[in-house]
Amino acid sequence: MNDTDALPPGADPDKASVARMYDALLGGEHNFAIDREAVAAVTGIDPQVRALARANRAFLGRAVRFLVGAGVRQFIDLGSGIPTQGNVHEVAQTANPKARVVYVDKDPVAVAHSTTLLADNPLADIVDADIRRPADVLASPQVRELIDFDEPVAVLMVAILHFVTPEENPAGIVAAFRDALPGGSWLALSHATNEDRPDTAAAVTQLYRSRATSPVTARSHDEIQGLFAGFELTEPGLVHVPLWRPDEGDDVPEKPSEYWVYAGVGRKSG
């Protein structure tokens, strides 16, 4: 999108969109000047934030491949963002052509581009909804059509819960989805932490609070691990995002703590 393109209906002209900022960080084209300016400010705080975004995206792909290998063929991707390379349905359906995927986002650009991308894919769809209202997501026609809750489901919350404030009860949101899932279902989650680089996390938090559509709440390792209540973490547990089951040949950083995001995948018992 060039700078003269009009913002879509429902977009806040005075705030950068967290979905479009993530698209810009990943080198995408579905963002506006206001988003790129905010990204430039973030990279001024942490020059490697683009590498962090790529590492988080790579975790998503590895987690989906792991889950398909574990027998999962249904995915709900919460806060899915703007389509880019390595989307969940592409990864999952490459491994299992019968895999079904429901994306969920409330950003109008993310919803519009996902709708276009998925128009010819009967096994994937997008829900225009806020993840803070799990009942709306679970009752949506797209979820009811594509997701069979008599079989294991993987819920993906990748780099989304740090946009949920304490008052909005992130643990309660996770619990609402968990309680709707049958035994043997999974949760894949990544989340910014304030433990490794507290000054950086605080500065980024302030920037998002003042310039973006959603504030950031970075959390401790224990707080993030607590979001897995009711799920048993698979190896290697909750670790810095580049360390979660890296593929052979992946460039694992010498100081993983510089990637101030934790990632993990857990299985619901029963």
Side-chain angles (χ1 to χ4, degrees):
M1 296 183 181
N2 60 50
D3 295 346
T4 61
D5 286 338
L7 285 166
D12 186 342
D14 300 318
K15 292 283 188 177
S17 155
V18 297
R20 299 192 311 263
M21 287 177 66
Y22 191 51
D23 177 68
L25 284 167
L26 292 171
E29 300 178 352
H30 304 303
N31 50 77
F32 297 95
I34 193 170
D35 310 305
R36 295 188 291 274
E37 290 164 3
V39 164
V42 174
T43 57
I45 297 169
D46 182 2
Q48 71 163 19
V49 72
R50 292 182 187 274
L52 178 55
R54 291 192 297 270
N56 184 74
R57 189 71 180 180
F59 159 70
L60 173 64
R62 296 196 304 274
V64 171
R65 289 193 296 273
F66 166 80
L67 291 164
V68 174
V72 177
R73 59 174 187 156
Q74 305 183 104
F75 296 83
I76 301 176
D77 185 5
L78 299 171
S80 50
I82 295 168
T84 183
Q85 293 182 345
N87 298 297
V88 171
H89 73 283
E90 295 168 336
V91 176
Q93 291 175 357
T94 295
N96 182 345
K98 295 182 179 179
R100 303 189 297 276
V101 179
V102 175
Y103 295 100
V104 181
D105 210 292
K106 66 184 183 69
D107 181 89
V109 173
V111 173
H113 283 281
S114 297
T115 300
T116 300
L117 178 67
L118 302 173
D120 297 324
N121 191 324
L123 298 181
D125 209 340
I126 175 77
V127 178
D128 183 354
D130 192 326
I131 73 158
R132 297 170 181 85
R133 296 192 290 273
D136 292 350
V137 174
L138 294 167
S140 67
Q142 297 91 331
V143 168
R144 292 200 308 268
E145 179 179 350
L146 287 176
I147 304 300
D148 179 357
F149 286 94
D150 290 328
E151 299 180 2
V153 181
V155 171
L156 312 176
M157 297 186 176
V158 176
I160 187 63
L161 288 178
H162 47 236
F163 295 116
V164 177
T165 66
E167 295 75 19
E168 292 167 331
N169 191 11
I173 293 170
V174 177
F177 284 102
R178 179 200 65 214
D179 292 347
L181 301 176
S185 292
W186 296 80
L187 171 66
L189 183 154
S190 66
H191 194 300
T193 182
N194 54 14
E195 287 189 337
D196 299 311
R197 301 174 63 186
D199 292 344
T200 298
V204 170
T205 294
Q206 180 57 39
L207 186 145
Y208 270 84
R209 188 174 301 278
S210 63
R211 299 182 63 166
T213 51
S214 297
V216 167
T217 301
R219 296 183 168 93
S220 69
H221 185 277
D222 286 349
E223 288 175 314
I224 298 167
Q225 186 155 311
L227 297 171
F228 281 94
F231 295 90
E232 182 179 353
L233 280 163
T234 190
E235 291 295 331
L238 185 66
V239 296
H240 291 102
V241 67
L243 298 183
W244 196 88
R245 295 178 178 255
D247 292 328
E248 186 176 352
D250 279 359
D251 184 15
V252 177
E254 292 184 4
K255 297 181 179 179
S257 62
E258 292 184 354
Y259 289 70
W260 42 286
V261 168
Y262 284 119
V265 175
R267 184 178 185 272
K268 181 178 179 179
S269 59

